[in-house]
Amino acid sequence: MPRPSIASDTNERRALLDAVAGLQNYVSEMKQIAARRRLLYSHMSTRHQRLAKATGYPRRLQDVDKAVTANGEITARIAKLAERDFNVTRAELLHSRPVRNVRVIELLKHFVRDWSDAGNRERSITFPPILDALQAEFGNDIVQKRVLVPGAGVGRLAYDISQLGCQTEANEYSYLMHLGSIFALEQSKDSCSVYPHVHNFSHQISGKEQLRPVTFPDVEPDNRVRLRHSFGDFMKLAGSHNNLYDAVATLFFIDTAENMLTYIDTIRQLLPLGGIWINCGPLKWGSSPRVEFTLEEVLSIISNMGFQIEKRWSKSAEYMADSEGLWHGFYGVEGWLARKVED
């Protein structure tokens, strides 16, 4: 698998450094949260503290501390990977602005979703329609085809597509996810453990469930796969006939756009006539979109922007859910295969 290139653009370098600093700060940030939790406990009456202690609550806080330390070993290893592959120095990190700790926590949960047995329940709903569509489209010629996966996260969909034989590019705008993808592919099967549920004290059935570890990756990554990682805004990939893909696969992605129309424009530019766009995901618009379309409007727009929708499907899926928790939320997931029929 090709090695990542060293980030050189000033803004890109800053994003890398902020991600590394966030990874390094994970344990200290979690210690501050733990200290506040203990402070609130100490402000309870003596009687209430005694009742809470009888349940084992203080011991659970100690166990959570240990689990956070174990998580910190993973985040530290990812930071070391960045130092190795991108020549990150301590001097540079002095001027960084660490990403928010919630983003680091999301990264740990993404390892579970993408690279563990526990995450297979979600993947088994959203991945097969995409993989099946690629196989049906390309058949025996699949090894000659180029597939782009923008918003690739920590990379499992792109990896599984590359396992079909496609030349696959996993593009990601978040350096945390980008580094996480590279890290996951360098690990032996089930060699890493994370405690993804210790960050959430709500909806827990028991301390045992909150503190259960999850191992990853659930496969022995094949370094011979035809997979390339790229960092940055996927819209910058467009504009060159030398940078066309036979297919673009988007998963839980198009609703992240500030302007979804620019995403569709870019996908169209990245495909030749006859190329296909396979999408699967909800329409959960982000915090500052310029437009917030309904599904009916989205489908109409796609048809008016040079695509012909040939296949559609609807499913229900969770996203980074705790299978043993008390709360479960489901997305209505819409999928389609659209073929570019006009330039």
Side-chain angles (χ1 to χ4, degrees), residues 15 36-37 68 81 103 125 140 146 148 164 188 218 234 241 259 265 281 321:
R36 182 177 182 276
R37 192 167 277 124
V68 164
L81 177 150
R103 300 304 178 201
I125 296 172
N140 294 333
R146 297 184 69 215
L148 173 68
L164 299 177
S188 300
D218 61 334
F234 95 106
H241 288 291
N259 178 359
D265 270 334

Side-chain angles (χ1 to χ4, degrees), residues 260-326:
M260 190 198 68
L261 300 179
T262 60
Y263 273 20
I264 300 176
D265 270 334
T266 300
I267 292 169
R268 190 182 71 238
Q269 293 174 51
L270 290 168
L271 291 170
L273 277 175
I276 60 172
W277 168 28
I278 309 169
N279 176 73
C280 187
L283 292 177
K284 183 180 182 295
W285 301 108
S287 58
S288 56
R290 295 182 183 178
V291 285
E292 298 168 279
F293 294 117
T294 66
L295 173 63
E296 186 177 66
E297 291 165 342
V298 169
L299 296 173
S300 175
I301 287 168
I302 291 171
S303 297
N304 289 328
M305 292 182 71
F307 288 96
Q308 178 178 314
I309 298 174
E310 297 184 353
K311 184 179 181 181
R312 285 189 55 199
W313 60 90
S314 300
K315 295 182 179 293
S316 180
E318 292 186 285
Y319 189 83
M320 295 198 300
D322 179 356
S323 62
E324 304 302 322
L326 292 172

Side-chain angles (χ1 to χ4, degrees), residues 243-260:
N243 202 28
L244 294 179
Y245 301 85
D246 299 288
V248 175
T250 52
L251 177 66
F252 279 76
F253 178 68
I254 63 169
D255 54 358
T256 67
E258 181 181 274
N259 178 359
M260 190 198 68

Side-chain angles (χ1 to χ4, degrees), residues 44-195:
M44 295 168 64
S45 68
T46 301
R47 173 174 169 268
H48 287 174
Q49 286 188 48
R50 185 167 61 250
L51 288 167
K53 185 176 182 180
T55 70
Y57 181 74
R59 170 57 66 87
R60 179 155 64 97
L61 294 183
Q62 294 176 5
D63 291 340
V64 167
D65 290 342
K66 294 176 183 177
V68 164
T69 298
N71 286 345
E73 293 175 2
I74 297 295
T75 62
R77 288 171 60 188
I78 301 171
K80 286 290 185 182
L81 177 150
E83 295 173 7
R84 180 198 73 195
D85 287 356
F86 298 95
N87 294 343
V88 172
T89 65
R90 291 184 179 180
E92 286 182 297
L93 289 172
L94 292 175
H95 306 288
S96 65
R97 299 178 62 181
V99 297
R100 295 167 56 204
N101 198 50
V102 65
R103 300 304 178 201
V104 180
I105 293 171
E106 287 175 355
L107 171 63
L108 297 175
K109 291 182 177 180
H110 271 282
F111 284 135
V112 177
R113 178 177 182 262
D114 272 26
W115 292 103
S116 77
D117 286 334
N120 187 56
R121 188 176 65 157
E122 294 181 20
R123 298 195 305 273
S124 66
I125 296 172
T126 56
F127 281 27
I130 297 174
L131 300 174
D132 292 346
L134 289 169
Q135 289 182 305
E137 176 71 18
F138 299 132
N140 294 333
D141 295 329
I142 201 164
V143 295
Q144 303 172 20
K145 304 303 179 179
R146 297 184 69 215
V147 180
L148 173 68
V149 184
V154 291
R156 182 58 179 269
L157 176 62
Y159 175 82
D160 284 2
I161 291 174
S162 71
Q163 288 286 83
L164 299 177
C166 304
Q167 299 179 52
T168 310
E169 180 171 347
N171 174 264
E172 177 54 51
Y173 188 68
S174 161
Y175 248 119
L176 277 178
M177 298 297 168
H178 183 59
L179 293 172
S181 180
I182 297 169
F183 176 80
L185 286 168
E186 291 188 355
Q187 310 311 308
S188 300
K189 182 178 180 181
D190 293 330
S191 63
C192 300
S193 292
V194 291
Y195 295 81

